[in-house]
Amino acid sequence: MTLSPQERERFLAEPHVGALSVVERPDRAPLTVPIWYQYTPGGELWVRTGPDSRKARAIRSAGRFALMVQRTEPTVRYVSVEGPVTRTAPDSEERSRELAARYLPEDKVADYVAYDRARLGGHVLVFMRPEHWVSADLGAF
């Protein structure tokens, strides 16, 4: 069953690992990679990535990307969104901490952020406005 707009937005706002897809080259299938993301119902979705990563270059070129999230318990449910990039912004320690806190236990966040800031290089934030939605919950089966 298709989720209502409120159900799909609430589900997307939960901390699932997303599968980001973006057209990298016209002669190949889309580049698809796992990624952490942030979303607040009614707002923009954003991801962090290296400014010169393959996905960042592909997103800049395409001007849009898709993100799919899913779960298998207690029911099979997924939401897929696709839309245009609305803006990019410099990363910050606060955004790094916000995203890490979404996915990691509280006692691991500070160490991860320190590692991220010291070892993983700079990041940019890429914001997308969800424009097209596909969703389902197969709980009735």
Side-chain angles (χ1 to χ4, degrees):
M1 303 293 296
T2 300
L3 301 174
S4 73
Q6 296 79 17
E7 290 171 320
R8 70 187 187 198
E9 288 195 28
R10 278 194 308 267
F11 185 75
L12 186 60
E14 295 172 1
H16 305 283
V17 174
L20 183 147
S21 291
V22 60
V23 173
E24 186 177 23
R25 296 182 7 201
D27 63 331
R28 304 251 326 249
L31 172 67
T32 303
V33 295
I35 196 162
W36 290 354
Y37 70 95
Q38 179 64 288
Y39 175 73
T40 301
E44 296 173 304
L45 179 147
W46 60 267
V47 298
R48 290 176 72 236
T49 188
D52 298 317
S53 67
R54 282 179 64 189
K55 68 181 159 292
R57 291 191 309 270
I59 290 168
R60 275 194 301 274
S61 177
R64 60 192 317 111
F65 65 92
L67 185 91
M68 190 277 300
V69 299
Q70 68 174 14
R71 72 171 191 209
T72 57
E73 296 289 333
T75 60
V76 174
R77 179 179 277 197
Y78 72 88
V79 168
S80 178
V81 293
E82 184 267 333
V85 172
T86 55
R87 62 193 164 105
T88 59
D91 189 26
S92 67
E93 186 170 341
E94 293 76 25
R95 290 291 190 159
S96 177
R97 184 173 307 285
E98 177 182 347
L99 205 54
R102 179 171 162 84
Y103 290 94
L104 299 174
E106 186 177 334
D107 64 329
K108 302 291 184 191
V109 171
D111 288 343
Y112 175 81
V113 170
Y115 174 83
D116 176 58
R117 306 297 290 173
R119 298 271 180 102
L120 298 182
H123 287 81
V124 294
L125 306 177
V126 181
F127 293 80
M128 179 257 276
R129 183 183 74 253
E131 191 172 71
H132 302 285
W133 296 75
V134 179
S135 64
D137 188 322
L138 305 178
F141 297 101

